[in-house]
Amino acid sequence: MSAQPTSSGRSSRTGRVDGPARGTRTTWRNWAGNVATAPARTVSPSTTGALAEAIRRATEEGLRVKAVGTGHSFTAAAATDGMLIRPERLAGIRELDRDAGTVTVAAGTSLKHLNETLAAAGLSLTNMGDIMEQTVSGAVSTGTHGTGRTSASLAAQVSGLELVCADGSVLRCSEQENAEVFAAARLGLGALGVISELTFSVEPEFLLTAREEPMAFDKVTGDFDQLVAENEHFEFYWFPHTDNCNTKRNNRSDGPAAPLPRVRGWIDDELLSNGVFQGVCSLGAAAPSAVPAMARIAGKALSARTYTDIPYRVFTSPRRVRFIEMEYALPREALVPALRELKRLVERSRLHVSFPVEVRTAPSDGIPLSTAHGRETAYVAVHMYRGSPHEAYFTEAERIMTAHRGRPHWGKVHTRDVAYLASSYPRFAEFTRVRDRLDPDRVFGNDYLRRVLGD
């Protein structure tokens, strides 16, 4: 049986285009502040019908169209000088079907709202990333993922979607309906149209036991394959300028629930991980030479903890310190050699890196532009504090990752172009054929898509 839809429900498919008056120019910036765009028009439609009408009108007027989420991507994937579609009014749970094990949500719904709604209904996504501020469509379209031995990215959990095309027509897509478009649009970079709703596969809520503990770099890299094999969800952070790592193992539990005590959780996740870390990063930006010493002190302060809770409270955590990020997906067997090269780079250079390096895994999948397409994958994410010079570090890190056949995360800083990417994805041409069919005039194009997909 299905629950009744909430705001932006199926019963409301038409409506006016809400937003600033035509001709009003606004400036939009992403979360990190490294991307800004000033579109000719900004709209916030509240229904699929209003969205379709806005896109049809913009196409007739020769405006390019991009939809934006909450800005947690670090690339200019959503930048446009045409019409920018804001997500905040196209939000809400449209249908929750317990019998089918699915939830359908409007594209602008935040992952936070989705997770909290599912938890209240005793349901959960199987896997998720480590923050939940993004909109569902933005997270899916750029390949957001968590870590998992057998459970994959958010896009891999999508079982259906609704796509508004350049002429204002609406396509319903699934493995049974418009299957070729569905395959491409699950991770479509906003290049095929604007997603108006997504249907996710969900399951009964379960408990996860998180075991977090420090581990030496040589130990975690030496035992990496075993740690991945023994745990449903394994990840670790390496602290540059040190031999220190922090590991996290998440596994399903029969319970009982044993969440972190409120005070301990606040101290660890708010005071230390955000408040104190913000101060450390600010000090490091002002005095870069102090970063290695601060990193060694921070590494020694790591402590173990174990707790059991519902999935989104284990998978996700607040991230309030702003940064710039690059992430590459490597064949899993290349992870340890690449990470050791990165460590040697930091040790032998004059780089001062205050942010830890994050390592996660994903199983092989069949989504054409998924960074895990066709191979068991390990992810290496490098970060720099917002405002700090990152170019030298990212350039050298990217050189290492591409030497190991790395694929860049679509929503994070990288310099790869269509020539590199077309050779990295076996089904790249399949995706571009769907794009040519749905958007031959590149209504949904911009400079970033021209670089990574071609023109």
Side-chain angles (χ1 to χ4, degrees):
M1 59 186 290
S2 300
Q4 292 298 312
T6 62
S7 61
S8 300
R10 291 184 183 279
S11 58
S12 180
R13 292 293 185 179
T14 61
R16 65 187 178 89
V17 177
D18 302 291
R22 183 176 303 185
T24 300
R25 277 197 178 265
T26 58
T27 298
W28 174 88
R29 289 180 174 83
N30 68 340
W31 178 81
N34 67 312
V35 175
T37 188
R41 185 185 308 164
T42 300
V43 299
S44 299
S46 59
T47 66
T48 297
L51 173 63
E53 175 62 15
I55 293 173
R56 183 191 65 77
R57 225 183 279 168
T59 300
E60 289 177 352
E61 296 172 20
L63 292 177
R64 293 198 175 187
V65 176
K66 297 304 296 180
V68 71
T70 55
H72 276 267
S73 288
F74 301 88
T75 69
T80 186
D81 58 2
M83 186 176 78
L84 188 72
I85 299 165
R86 296 294 301 265
E88 50 265 21
R89 302 193 71 231
L90 192 66
I93 308 300
R94 291 187 167 179
E95 185 178 27
L96 198 160
D97 190 330
R98 292 180 179 277
D99 293 338
T102 60
V103 61
T104 299
V105 295
T109 308
S110 71
L111 287 168
K112 184 175 190 292
H113 179 63
L114 173 59
N115 284 329
E116 289 176 346
T117 302
L118 289 175
L123 299 168
S124 178
L125 296 170
T126 298
N127 199 355
M128 59 195 77
D130 55 10
I131 63 170
M132 54 180 184
E133 306 309 315
Q134 313 102 309
T135 61
V136 291
S137 58
V140 165
S141 296
T142 54
T144 295
H145 62 90
T147 189
R149 184 181 59 203
T150 58
S151 54
S153 68
L154 283 173
Q157 297 171 69
V158 172
S159 59
L161 59 88
E162 185 179 75
L163 185 73
V164 182
C165 301
D167 61 359
S169 61
V170 180
L171 284 181
R172 300 289 306 169
C173 304
S174 67
E175 290 184 351
Q176 293 75 41
E177 185 179 10
N178 294 309
E180 187 180 28
V181 175
F182 174 67
R186 277 198 289 175
L187 202 167
L189 311 181
L192 308 178
V194 175
I195 292 174
S196 51
E197 72 173 32
L198 288 159
T199 298
F200 292 92
S201 298
V202 296
E203 60 176 299
E205 189 175 72
F206 51 92
L207 291 172
L208 286 171
T209 293
R211 176 183 167 193
E212 301 173 14
E213 63 179 347
M215 189 177 293
F217 181 90
D218 287 343
K219 174 67 173 173
V220 71
T221 53
D223 293 348
F224 179 71
D225 288 337
Q226 180 180 350
L227 289 164
V228 172
E230 291 178 349
N231 295 281
E232 293 176 79
H233 309 274
F234 175 72
E235 62 185 307
F236 71 93
Y237 296 83
W238 164 59
F239 293 81
H241 309 291
T242 79
D243 291 319
N244 301 316
C245 297
N246 197 37
T247 64
K248 184 171 182 178
R249 290 169 253 199
N250 298 332
N251 292 286
R252 295 200 184 205
S253 169
D254 294 330
L260 281 172
R262 182 170 296 181
V263 173
R264 172 72 188 274
W266 181 84
I267 290 173
D268 288 354
D269 296 332
E270 288 292 351
L271 179 61
L272 297 179
S273 296
N274 286 294
V276 173
F277 188 50
Q278 174 70 63
V280 168
C281 288
S282 297
L283 178 59
S289 61
V291 168
M294 290 189 294
R296 288 189 287 272
I297 293 170
K300 291 178 181 177
L302 297 172
S303 60
R305 65 181 189 175
T306 300
Y307 56 98
T308 301
D309 212 332
I310 61 176
Y312 83 84
R313 293 177 185 157
V314 174
F315 285 131
T316 71
S317 56
R319 293 282 188 272
R320 309 198 199 286
V321 182
R322 302 205 179 198
F323 53 82
I324 305 291
E325 182 177 0
M326 169 184 283
E327 182 177 65
Y328 265 80
L330 306 177
R332 208 177 80 186
E333 64 273 13
L335 179 278
V336 172
L339 194 60
R340 286 175 174 159
E341 286 182 49
L342 186 65
K343 187 171 186 289
R344 287 195 295 271
L345 165 69
V346 172
E347 290 171 345
R348 296 173 182 176
S349 72
R350 298 172 64 105
L351 295 170
H352 301 105
V353 184
S354 57
F355 261 81
V357 174
E358 183 179 21
V359 176
R360 294 176 287 176
T361 67
S364 171
D365 67 43
I367 301 171
L369 291 189
S370 168
T371 49
H373 176 83
R375 67 191 193 191
E376 297 289 317
T377 296
Y379 294 95
V380 178
V382 299
H383 315 69
M384 285 291 280
Y385 181 53
R386 184 177 70 170
S388 298
H390 65 273
E391 292 82 2
Y393 179 37
F394 282 16
T395 295
E396 290 303 308
E398 189 171 41
R399 178 186 58 77
I400 293 169
M401 301 306 152
T402 54
H404 289 278
R405 297 189 294 127
R407 296 168 177 164
H409 189 297
W410 295 105
K412 299 179 184 180
V413 175
H414 68 93
T415 66
R416 298 301 88 189
D417 61 14
V418 62
Y420 180 93
L421 295 164
S423 66
S424 299
Y425 289 91
R427 297 174 67 186
F428 191 89
E430 176 185 326
F431 182 92
T432 56
R433 282 195 300 271
V434 174
R435 186 190 187 205
D436 289 341
R437 175 159 62 88
L438 292 182
D439 188 24
D441 297 324
R442 302 300 187 253
V443 170
F444 303 109
N446 61 11
D447 290 343
Y448 176 74
L449 293 183
R450 186 177 300 110
R451 172 163 67 88
V452 299
L453 297 178
D455 202 16

